Amino acid sequence: MLRQYELVDRVLDYDPDADEALLNRAYVFSMQAHGSQKRASGDPYFSHPIEVAGILTDLRLDAETIATAILHDTVEDTLTTPEEIERLFGPNVARLVDGVTKLSRIEAQSDNERAAENLRKFLLAMSDDIRVLLVKLADRLHNMRTLHHIAKPEKRRRIARETMDIYAPLAERVGMYEFMKEMQTLAFREIEPEAFESVTRRLAQLKEGGGDRIAKIASGVKLLLGRAGIDAEVGGREKHPYSIWRKMAGRHISFEQLSDIMAFRVVVGSDEECYRALGAIHRRWPMVPGRFKDYISTPKRNGYRSLHTSVIHAENTRVEIQIRSKTMHAEAEFGLAAHWAYKEGTRAEVGGSGDHSWIRDLVEILDTAATPEELLEHTRMAMYADRIFAFTPKGELTQLPKGATPIDFAYAVHTDLGDQAVGAKINGRVVPLSTVIENGDQVAILRSKAQEPQPAWLDVAITGKALAAIRRHLRHKERDEHLKLGRKLLDDIIARLPATLAADATDHALRRLKLVDEAALLIAIARHTLTDGAVMEALMPGSAGADMAAAAPQVQAISIKGLTPGVAFDLATCCHPVPGDRIVGLRRPDAGIEVHAIECAVLAELADRSAEETDWLDLGWGDGADGAVARVSVMVRNEPGALGLVASVIGQHKANIINLRLDTRDTRFHTNTIDVEVHDLAQLLRLMAALRAADAVHAVERI
């Protein structure tokens, strides 16, 4: 453990103007606050915050950040209050400590809720001052280094998994690659101990068998560049175990089949020399196609710049080479922390999230996630993915994960653009919104103010930001539609009551049902978490009796006009009702209404099987109802052009083919099931009559 004077001297070495008194006060206060507390290893607890501070001195961070590291556990693990920290160390340090502090005292119902709440507070604090993230990463790194002292295996695995899913990707996002690699290696050892042991054993065997092969290759690269007039520092290493294992798992190959397990770093004097070095290397050794990446002209989202290439070296050995300038190397070593390094006695500006727009994306996810599970899922998606580059029509660069679609691109540019997307152009060609964007594509989003996010987009989008925004919109839409449906159902219930309601009947009913407001009542009715009888009894005690219900007047069918299929109700796929069909609704607790045509063959079976849990509603389409999808079976002659004729007839009648499936085929006929979008039953009947009149059609039936 670092002594007090050793820690202070480390800071003064790179910042002679640092607030020495602040560091001394923080050291003494933290030691006294933690007192006799012990860690799982048996060491004094105070050793942990000091080691965290020591890690941050290697990154040359400012005195406020070092003091925060020393104090970061005092509020959580001692009797110290945030007010006391602010009084003794100032508002900046107090704000940073509060940002790092975990919410260990919250009363959560599950590990996911606790983890999500901790993550929520941490990300909000990080967006305000990125130094919170630097302290947290150092804190997590030291905890991972001492993880083996924790006795419970399940706790070790939980911490390791959280590190792999959240903190290692965060370290990567701010360019702190050494932090990321060490976290991944330590977490990998805990999560997959057998795989870790296998990879490290084989790496050791390879090192023994190959002798100083890495040194020889590095020396050869340096000699080659020297002959080209380029002064370069060249170093080499094996890739870390988790990186190797991930490649083995991703490519489904064995360790022996993995050829690129060595990586070399070439550090030169300038950007120009980076490209000269690349040319010299490619002239000497053949390049592996598809393995060259220019992060100088198109930096990573975290600001990382370098040239990456893989070449075939001697004996068909494939090696990766990274080429960068000294400035790029410093930024790659320290990542975001390089912005707080002391250069020529002048400290860079601190605080704020700078140009790291991904932090804003994470904060936006905080605002849209409805559940702890959703927050954790979307945050992992936003942080942990391989990236591609795509361009707007104006040439602006947007980074996305591999597999992203125009929906993801639109939400990455702006949430409103995503909400209003109706189509896309990739490289000038109109494509579906489900098209996967390739690296370097130019993407233009077609928008309409009449558009809104669709449920089907959840199967297309892959980024956390897009999924969070879509789900938020759908939740709001679902609530609005449940309020509309609940109002119609409540009016129906009131119409069946034996007498007129008193003016304050609804207020009394809410108290009896223990609901906060009328909106909660309407949603409960729509989702059938309250039965009609329970609502009647709450509105008018004694009214839910069988005799009174039987004497209630007949009411009109409840209209589903204005409600959206898939949100407040679902059109049954067994009978595919369309406007004009007589329909009924099947209600199940905590689910939407399932709408069936009255002639549906499975209706009786559904009623018998779930009679105790379900209610039936008399429904109507309402005037000018929107269209729906009908399913028809069309038997046509087995001859060229027959199916084209069917499609032509459907198009002439202004219907749209949604899906087509070949069911049976023989020498004379083949039968197809066709889903067609129609306005109403009348249009469907006209279409079926026209199909029957076609020469190539033998029979048409509605399914």
Side-chain angles (χ1 to χ4, degrees):
M1 182 181 74
L2 289 172
R3 298 176 184 272
Q4 182 175 347
Y5 74 89
E6 292 174 329
L7 180 64
V8 174
D9 284 348
R10 280 197 185 189
V11 178
L12 294 177
D13 281 344
Y14 60 81
D15 179 19
D17 298 324
D19 189 343
E20 185 176 352
L22 173 68
L23 298 173
N24 284 321
R25 290 201 313 274
Y27 194 105
V28 172
F29 182 87
S30 181
M31 182 173 62
Q32 292 175 345
H34 287 291
S36 60
Q37 291 176 342
K38 300 286 185 181
R39 303 198 81 211
S41 62
D43 295 331
Y45 192 94
F46 174 63
S47 64
H48 166 66
I50 297 306
E51 291 299 328
V52 172
I55 291 172
L56 294 177
T57 61
D58 293 336
L59 301 179
R60 303 167 65 87
L61 296 184
D62 62 290
E64 285 184 343
T65 309
I66 303 300
T68 299
I70 298 171
L71 299 165
H72 78 271
D73 276 337
T74 53
V75 174
E76 178 184 346
D77 294 325
T78 75
L79 298 177
T80 305
T81 64
E83 293 75 20
E84 192 174 4
I85 295 292
E86 181 171 359
R87 177 172 56 82
L88 295 174
F89 303 100
N92 286 342
V93 172
R95 177 170 46 81
L96 292 172
V97 170
D98 183 61
V100 180
T101 299
K102 291 186 299 184
L103 297 180
S104 59
R105 298 186 180 92
I106 64 171
E107 296 183 3
Q109 298 300 313
S110 68
D111 287 341
N112 271 351
E113 290 178 350
R114 188 177 298 109
E117 191 57 43
N118 289 338
L119 182 62
R120 185 187 303 275
K121 182 178 181 183
F122 170 52
L123 292 178
L124 288 172
M126 182 179 74
S127 69
D128 181 54
D129 193 325
I130 199 66
R131 290 177 293 175
V132 168
L133 173 59
L134 304 181
V135 177
K136 187 62 180 177
L137 291 177
D139 173 43
R140 178 51 61 111
L141 178 58
H142 186 256
N143 281 333
M144 289 303 297
R145 289 174 177 174
T146 58
L147 184 65
H148 57 282
H149 291 298
I150 295 177
K152 294 182 179 180
E154 62 275 11
K155 185 176 181 180
R156 292 199 305 270
R157 283 193 293 271
R158 177 181 60 78
I159 294 172
R161 174 53 61 191
E162 186 179 64
T163 300
M164 189 71 84
D165 288 345
I166 301 295
Y167 294 102
L170 276 171
E172 188 272 338
R173 276 304 182 89
V174 293
M176 299 172 71
Y177 289 98
E178 295 306 315
F179 274 43
M180 178 198 73
K181 292 171 186 175
E182 187 174 354
M183 284 182 187
Q184 287 178 338
T185 298
L186 294 170
F188 177 43
R189 183 172 66 184
E190 186 60 46
I191 297 169
E192 298 284 352
E194 293 181 1
F196 175 83
E197 176 64 27
S198 174
V199 172
T200 52
R201 184 177 66 251
R202 294 185 183 190
L203 280 174
Q205 293 170 351
L206 184 69
K207 200 168 186 178
E208 292 173 3
D212 58 352
R213 183 165 59 159
I214 290 179
K216 288 179 180 178
I217 294 175
S219 177
V221 173
K222 183 175 178 65
L223 181 62
L224 172 72
L225 296 177
R227 288 173 179 169
I230 302 171
D231 182 25
E233 299 174 10
V234 182
R237 57 171 176 78
E238 291 108 351
K239 293 185 177 179
H240 67 290
Y242 176 68
S243 173
I244 292 173
W245 180 80
R246 190 167 60 178
K247 288 186 177 181
M248 290 167 56
R251 301 178 190 174
H252 304 288
I253 58 177
S254 66
F255 184 88
E256 289 73 19
Q257 293 172 299
L258 193 66
S259 56
D260 54 342
I261 61 173
M262 289 183 291
F264 295 85
R265 183 175 298 148
V266 175
V267 181
V268 296
S270 66
D271 293 14
E272 181 186 356
E273 287 187 335
C274 290
Y275 291 100
R276 286 178 56 205
L278 176 71
I281 290 170
H282 280 182
R283 283 194 299 271
R284 175 64 181 84
W285 296 292
M287 165 194 164
V288 179
R291 298 289 296 167
F292 170 65
K293 296 177 182 177
D294 186 347
Y295 293 122
I296 295 179
S297 63
T298 53
K300 287 188 176 182
R301 202 172 183 184
N302 58 20
Y304 174 85
R305 295 182 300 150
S306 185
L307 298 176
H308 288 197
T309 187
S310 292
V311 298
I312 305 296
H313 200 264
E315 302 176 359
N316 290 327
T317 301
R318 194 162 76 166
V319 297
E320 179 184 303
I321 300 176
Q322 301 171 1
I323 308 169
R324 59 182 69 152
S325 70
K326 291 179 181 179
T327 301
M328 297 174 200
H329 181 60
E331 292 175 347
E333 285 290 295
F334 295 108
L336 186 63
H339 294 288
W340 287 271
Y342 291 83
K343 300 176 182 178
E344 300 178 359
T346 302
R347 184 166 64 85
E349 181 182 356
V350 300
S353 56
D355 60 354
H356 289 264
S357 58
W358 60 273
I359 297 177
R360 293 193 296 273
D361 291 348
L362 291 181
V363 174
E364 189 168 335
I365 288 173
L366 294 181
D367 296 334
T368 56
T371 64
E373 291 76 13
E374 199 173 291
L375 171 60
L376 294 174
E377 173 198 352
H378 292 167
T379 304
R380 289 171 183 143
M381 286 180 175
M383 292 191 300
Y384 202 54
D386 294 330
R387 317 300 289 180
I388 63 167
F389 298 95
F391 297 88
T392 68
K394 295 182 179 179
E396 297 170 349
L397 184 67
T398 299
Q399 293 192 44
L400 296 165
K402 287 183 179 178
T405 65
I407 289 292
D408 300 301
F409 182 91
Y411 278 106
V413 174
H414 197 280
T415 301
D416 289 344
L417 182 62
D419 288 346
Q420 297 172 6
V422 294
K425 287 183 178 180
I426 294 182
N427 302 325
R429 184 169 58 90
V430 176
V431 298
L433 289 173
S434 57
T435 305
V436 174
I437 299 172
E438 299 295 336
N439 202 22
D441 281 345
Q442 184 189 74
V443 183
I445 300 299
L446 309 177
R447 67 192 299 180
S448 168
K449 292 184 178 179
Q451 176 67 299
E452 59 183 21
Q454 304 298 308
W457 290 4
L458 293 174
D459 298 325
V460 173
I462 69 167
T463 62
K465 182 178 180 181
L467 288 168
I470 295 166
R471 285 174 174 159
R472 176 187 59 181
H473 177 87
L474 294 178
R475 281 196 302 271
H476 289 169
K477 184 178 180 64
E478 183 179 42
R479 174 181 169 81
D480 291 343
E481 299 232 345
H482 280 150
L483 290 174
K484 289 181 184 177
L485 177 61
R487 173 60 63 190
K488 293 180 178 183
L489 294 173
L490 179 60
D491 290 343
D492 175 74
I493 290 171
I494 292 173
R496 302 200 317 259
L497 290 171
T500 303
L501 277 180
D504 58 352
T506 301
D507 294 335
H508 290 300
L510 293 175
R511 286 194 291 272
R512 294 184 184 113
L513 296 171
K514 298 181 180 179
L515 296 174
V516 293
D517 54 23
E518 188 178 26
L521 173 63
L522 297 178
I523 291 172
I525 294 172
R527 295 197 60 80
H528 200 40
T529 54
L530 282 175
T531 65
D532 290 3
V535 177
M536 293 175 72
E537 191 66 23
L539 289 169
M540 187 177 292
S543 64
D547 292 341
M548 288 187 178
Q554 283 292 109
V555 295
Q556 293 183 343
I558 298 169
S559 171
I560 60 174
K561 179 177 172 55
L563 302 178
T564 306
V567 180
F569 69 90
D570 293 293
L571 295 174
T573 56
C574 50
C575 53
H576 291 278
V578 298
D581 286 325
R582 171 92 185 279
I583 53 175
V584 294
L586 173 65
R587 298 174 72 196
R588 294 189 178 93
D590 207 22
I593 295 174
E594 194 173 288
V595 179
H596 292 260
I598 197 68
E599 301 89 358
C600 179
V602 299
L603 211 54
E605 178 186 347
L606 287 171
D608 292 340
R609 188 172 59 201
S610 53
E612 295 182 359
E613 299 180 354
T614 58
D615 284 341
W616 294 93
L617 293 173
D618 186 13
L619 300 179
W621 294 97
D623 295 334
D626 296 330
V629 176
R631 177 167 290 179
V632 294
S633 175
V634 183
M635 182 182 290
V636 298
R637 293 192 180 92
N638 189 5
E639 58 186 38
L643 201 55
L645 176 62
V646 169
S648 177
V649 172
I650 292 174
Q652 290 169 4
H653 283 75
K654 308 299 182 184
N656 188 31
I657 298 176
I658 301 299
N659 190 35
L660 186 149
R661 184 184 72 235
L662 175 64
D663 290 329
T664 60
R665 179 179 181 179
D666 57 30
T667 57
R668 297 184 59 196
F669 299 99
H670 57 87
T671 303
N672 302 275
T673 296
I674 305 176
D675 291 343
V676 289
E677 194 172 40
V678 295
H679 294 298
D680 52 29
L681 180 61
Q683 182 189 11
L684 176 61
L685 294 176
R686 289 195 301 270
L687 171 61
M688 292 174 64
L691 287 171
R692 291 188 180 109
D695 291 339
V697 177
H698 178 69
V700 179
E701 298 293 337
R702 182 180 177 188
I703 299 177

